[in-house]
Structures are given as C-alpha cells and as structure tokens.
Amino acid sequence: MVKPKHGFWSQIRESVPAYLLVLPTFAVFCVFLYIPFVKALRISTFKFNGIGDLTDYVGFANYWRVLQDEKFYSAFWNTFKLIGVDSLFSIGTGFLLAFVLYKGIKLKRFFNTALFIPYLISMVVIGSIWRIIYDPTIGPLNQFLEAIGLAEWAQPWLSNEHTALPAIMLTWIWHTIPFNMLIIYANLMTMPGDFLEAAEMDGATPLQKLRYIILPYLLPTFGTLLLLTVTTDLKAFDMVWVMTQGGPGGASEVITSYVYRKAFSTQDFGTATAASVIMMLVMVTIMIVAQLAGRMGGKGR
C-alpha cells in the first residue's frame, strides 16, 4: 500500500477551509484593533493637536513627559486604589450574596433578579443618580445623616478631596457586585453535590465545608473575576467623569480621565496617546503575569 504524501503544500491546501473561516475575524481585528494600535504608536511620537498632518516628530518625548507628570502618577495610584477596593469588597460581597442564594431563602427568584438590576443600568445613569444622592443640599445622604443626629458628618462628598474618590468607589462597587454574585452563584450551582454529601457523612461542620470544599472549588472563579476586575477598572471613565470629572483638584482622577483631559482639554493628543499606550502595556503585563501565575498554580496542584 502506498502511503499518502503529506507535504507542506498539501497541508496548506487541507487548511484552506479553516483559514477562510478565520479570515473574517482576523479582518475585524485588523480594522478595529491592530491598525488603530499601530497608528496610535505613531501618533504618540508626534506633537499633535488633533488637527492636520503629523509633522512635528518628537520621538519618545511624549512618553518622557507623561512619566514626569505627577498628575499621571496620582491618576495611576487612584486607579489601583479603585482596583484594590473593588476586588476586595465587590468579589467578597458578591460571594456572600451568592452563598446566601445558594443556601436558599424565601423569595429567592425575586432577590436574584432584584440584586442584579444595578448591573443592568447604564454607568452614566448610575453616576447621575449617585451624584444627586451625594449632593450637599438636596442629597438624601446628608438629609439622612441630619435626621439621625449625625449632622456633623454631612458634607459635600464629591467636592471634598478626601471623600470624592471613596464616594466613587462605593458607587462603583454597588454597580459591580451583581455581576460577581451571578458568576459565583452559577459556579456554586454546578458544584457536584457528592462533595458536600461526603463531607456531611464524615461529620464536617458547615464552616468546615465552606473552608475545605466550597472555597477551594471556587478559587478558579475568584481568579477569573479578579482578572476581569483589574481589566475593567483600568478602563473606568464614564462614571468618574459624570460624577466629578476627576476633581476636585485631581483627587478622583483615574488613568482614563487623565487621558481624556490631555486629549480634549489641552489638545495634546500626542501625550494622551503615549499615556494610553503605557496603560495598555500595564494591562498586558498584568494579564501575562496572571496567566503565568495561574499555570504555576495549576502545576503546583
């Protein structure tokens, strides 16, 4: 029997249908991701006000200008404050709510739907609503504090440099909790019941089942949610801009609002693009580190 030849060109011909199926997706990526990214790299090396041709080449001066700007580091630090607080409280609270729903309560379907509503509302709408809540004169928050005898705590929450960022963090967490709750709840529902039944037969307490079975089972879910939280919070903009526009005095500035202000307020598109590239490199680095850590953790187990 003559064995069929599988040379290079024959393998290419066999792969043509697969290439044709992938081609539309690759074309979309090129048009909306790769080509704009290459153009952004080019713009970041020019002094550019957004009008006309790119003529004033400055090399890496824009990157150097960004790295020397104290406001950039303040915005960067605020962004990672948001990531840290959101990761801790949003995922933690989401787990608690998901666990309560998993254990079962009355009106479970109602609470499951009602708790998810904040995630369905537009970020701009949420920012507008909470801006009214924090309003120092008509806001219900200050009115509530005055009603319970804590009038000294009432203050202009979004105009105070010490409370502006925490106020935004609280609003952001309120918005992100439902998504984390839903993902964790879905994973709890897929957990094999044999694990808990075996532990119960061995005399494990509810706390031991939570510590040694449920939490280890959810570790990959927590890792995924943490990665999603980092990438989402690095892109936080609309809520921040609606509520404070990065103020007062940059106290609530985040990376995206810093880039927006550089581009459209000072007409410095070259520096704004350089800051965007730096932010993208940070995001890619975080994702690569997370992937490597996940693989090492998997090998360790």
Side-chain angles (χ1 to χ4, degrees), residues 16 23 156 205 217 266:
V16 166
L23 184 60
T205 64
Y217 180 80
T266 63

Side-chain angles (χ1 to χ4, degrees), residues 19 34 92:
Y19 291 142
Y34 300 132

Side-chain angles (χ1 to χ4, degrees), residues 49-204:
N49 62 0
I51 302 174
D53 298 327
L54 299 174
T55 56
D56 193 356
Y57 178 77
V58 295
F60 291 99
N62 288 328
Y63 291 91
W64 183 245
R65 189 177 295 111
V66 170
L67 295 175
Q68 286 185 315
D69 190 356
E70 292 182 0
K71 293 182 178 179
F72 172 77
Y73 291 103
S74 176
F76 201 86
W77 177 236
N78 287 341
T79 302
F80 276 89
K81 283 182 183 177
L82 175 62
I83 291 172
V85 174
D86 188 28
S87 300
L88 179 63
F89 290 98
S90 182
I91 297 178
T93 307
F95 166 73
L96 292 176
L97 293 175
F99 186 71
V100 170
L101 292 175
Y102 171 74
K103 297 297 290 184
I105 57 175
K106 292 182 178 180
L107 302 176
K108 178 179 177 179
R109 292 185 178 179
F110 168 77
F111 284 109
N112 197 5
T113 303
L115 290 171
F116 192 67
I117 288 178
Y119 188 74
L120 302 177
I121 305 175
S122 166
M123 299 284 276
V124 174
V125 174
I126 291 176
S128 301
I129 293 173
W130 279 81
R131 187 173 182 178
I132 296 173
I133 293 175
Y134 289 130
D135 190 275
T137 54
I138 64 172
L141 178 57
N142 280 350
Q143 293 178 1
F144 172 75
L145 292 174
E146 292 172 1
I148 62 175
L150 296 175
E152 67 275 7
W153 287 19
Q155 56 185 296
W157 299 95
L158 299 179
S159 301
N160 187 328
E161 62 179 7
H162 299 294
T163 59
L165 185 61
I168 291 176
M169 288 178 178
L170 177 62
T171 307
W172 188 269
I173 291 171
W174 178 81
H175 170 72
T176 55
I177 283 175
F179 176 79
N180 294 327
M181 177 200 72
L182 182 65
I183 299 300
I184 295 172
Y185 176 70
N187 279 270
L188 282 172
M189 295 301 293
T190 61
M191 182 174 60
D194 299 344
F195 295 167
L196 297 178
E197 292 176 2
E200 191 171 347
M201 292 178 62
D202 291 338

